[in-house]
Amino acid sequence: QVLLVESGGGSVQAGDSLRLSCTASGDTICISTLGSMGWYRQAAGKERELVATSSSGGITNYADSVKGRFTISRDLAKNTVSLQMNSLNPEDTAVYYCYANVGYGGRYYAHHGVCARYYGMDYWGKGAPVTVHS
């Protein structure tokens, strides 16, 4: 089992900054060595969309709308992922969800015995609301 808990949401003015953090607990070795962690967001009346992700190998991916303004960072040892959001605008208003995914290790993977049950699974936090006022 993997549990994700977000913190850091809030209400700010346009141009301000916010930092979101997410901590994973449970069988986190399966995420830190195989999977990605990151952030998605869902605005009212819209579908959930990717904001940024970071793989266990350090590869990051950003939505075009946040490139240059948001920075994702991940601490594999602490099982945390953070999102520094700068130059916020009202279009960034949404509920931000922490996300984690376990990849596939195969039977020769060192932690196969623990992680096989999680291969390919996605996990979500409960969400952190962010409101940006114009």
Side-chain angles (χ1 to χ4, degrees), residues 12-129:
V12 297
Q13 296 294 316
D16 286 350
S17 299
L18 269 179
R19 185 177 181 85
L20 301 178
S21 294
C22 173
T23 300
S25 60
D27 288 325
T28 55
I29 189 66
C30 308
I31 295 174
S32 63
T33 57
L34 286 179
S36 296
M37 291 187 75
W39 297 89
Y40 282 67
R41 67 186 181 186
Q42 188 167 18
K46 295 186 177 181
E47 295 186 353
R48 191 172 298 188
E49 63 176 4
L50 178 145
V51 177
T53 59
S54 176
S55 74
S56 57
I59 298 173
T60 57
N61 182 39
Y62 293 91
D64 288 341
S65 60
V66 306
K67 284 181 181 177
R69 300 189 298 124
F70 291 12
T71 302
I72 189 170
S73 59
R74 185 176 174 186
D75 188 325
L76 297 178
K78 295 181 179 179
N79 300 303
T80 60
V81 64
S82 299
L83 185 69
Q84 178 64 41
M85 304 184 291
N86 298 328
S87 302
L88 286 161
N89 59 60
E91 289 70 39
D92 296 316
T93 295
V95 178
Y96 285 70
Y97 295 91
C98 181
Y99 163 81
N101 165 267
V102 180
Y104 291 89
R107 62 192 177 117
Y108 297 111
Y109 167 57
H111 304 287
H112 178 72
V114 172
C115 298
R117 76 197 75 176
Y118 305 128
Y119 286 166
M121 292 183 69
D122 294 336
Y123 295 90
W124 297 92
K126 292 184 176 180

